[in-house]
Amino acid sequence: MAAIGLHTMEKTAPGLVSLYKTAGVSLAGHRLDGLRAAVYLVVDYSGSMRPYYRDGSVQALADRVLGLSAHLDDDGTVPVVFFSTDVDAVTDITLADHRGRVERIVAGLGHMGRTSYHLAMDAVIDHYLDSGSTDPALVVFQTDGGPVNRLAAEKYLCKAARLPLFWQFIGFGDPHGKQFDYLRGLDDLAVPAKRVVDNAGFFHAGETPGAVTDADLYDRLVGEFAEWLTAARAQGIVREP
């Protein structure tokens, strides 16, 4: 059973009902229906991301993540980290106040800098540990380029492998661009030589992320997450349901 029911969605966030239903189909297809998990969204606020804020791609991703989160977490809230050279904001997006929320958050942020993955990852890890939760967490991490400090990002990912956190990276931009070579490598880091389990996935949403269908996006968000859950349970990282 979903954490938040259809009736509540229809009352609280009617504009997300279609996304909610599609997310439910994907979760069931991956045998994740009834799972309880936290969901985080991490968003790139570097200068090259400006077009994706302007055309609504970032807000659309946030809405889609909310539609998924409603099945997994009953508080109707997704913690969101905006990052560039530093962490620009740690805030949240809720079902009841999702319309235009990204634009309102960004209006209060400063200069769009570069891409420091490890600082954003640290903010998510701190938030999760401070929450006291023992449920698994799916971290949707969006970016349009590689990190300024590759070694630090890899180190954080490997250390975080012992926590019940799965990092699903999403690339906005040219799928063939060299800026994503690092993420391809991060996705394939050796197990167990560098990390105890494979705790990350990566896929391209392309130069027009909105063109990715809701069904395809959700399948990509939860496919490797489901595989990670099995491995993480076997290692005792995630408790058995």
Side-chain angles (χ1 to χ4, degrees):
M1 180 180 291
I4 296 176
L6 177 59
H7 179 67
T8 300
M9 287 295 294
E10 290 172 336
K11 287 181 59 180
T12 308
L16 302 182
V17 168
S18 176
L19 294 172
Y20 172 84
K21 290 179 177 178
T22 303
V25 171
S26 183
L27 287 167
H30 290 278
R31 299 183 180 181
L32 295 175
D33 43 328
L35 175 72
R36 292 296 171 263
V39 179
Y40 287 84
L41 176 61
V42 180
V43 184
D44 189 338
Y45 188 64
S46 62
S48 55
M49 277 291 298
R50 189 171 283 106
Y52 297 110
Y53 283 93
R54 287 177 177 166
D55 70 9
S57 295
V58 178
Q59 178 67 60
L61 177 62
D63 287 345
R64 288 164 146 182
V65 171
L66 271 171
L68 175 64
S69 176
H71 285 274
L72 302 172
D73 197 345
D74 63 4
D75 66 0
T77 300
V78 171
V80 185
V81 175
F82 287 77
F83 78 99
S84 56
T85 306
D86 205 336
V87 171
D88 299 284
V90 179
T91 182
D92 55 54
I93 296 179
T94 66
L95 291 175
D97 189 33
H98 71 96
R99 290 183 180 275
R101 175 68 172 142
V102 168
E103 184 177 352
R104 294 196 300 276
I105 295 169
V106 169
L109 302 183
H111 176 70
M112 300 177 84
R114 302 176 70 189
T115 48
S116 295
Y117 286 14
H118 65 289
L119 297 179
M121 297 172 79
D122 190 43
V124 170
I125 292 168
D126 281 349
H127 189 286
Y128 179 81
L129 294 176
D130 288 346
S131 75
S133 175
T134 56
D135 288 336
L138 170 61
V139 184
V140 179
F141 194 114
Q142 181 279 323
T143 183
D144 73 337
V148 294
N149 190 328
R150 297 186 173 197
L151 183 60
E154 179 178 321
K155 186 178 294 186
Y156 266 80
L157 184 71
C158 292
K159 285 188 174 181
R162 296 189 177 278
L163 295 173
L165 299 170
F166 182 79
W167 307 81
Q168 181 58 65
F169 293 91
I170 302 178
F172 281 15
D174 181 2
H176 306 292
K178 292 294 184 181
Q179 70 269 30
F180 295 119
D181 286 350
Y182 174 78
L183 281 171
R184 294 185 187 98
L186 204 63
D187 189 14
D188 295 329
L189 284 176
V191 175
K194 289 199 169 184
R195 49 185 176 160
V196 64
V197 292
D198 181 353
N199 62 332
F202 171 63
F203 73 89
H204 298 282
E207 295 176 294
T208 54
V212 178
T213 68
D214 297 331
D216 189 23
L217 181 84
Y218 286 131
D219 279 340
R220 289 169 177 264
L221 285 181
V222 304
E224 289 191 62
F225 177 58
E227 296 173 5
W228 166 80
L229 276 171
T230 300
R233 284 171 177 150
Q235 292 286 345
I237 296 168
V238 172
R239 64 185 181 183
E240 293 291 338

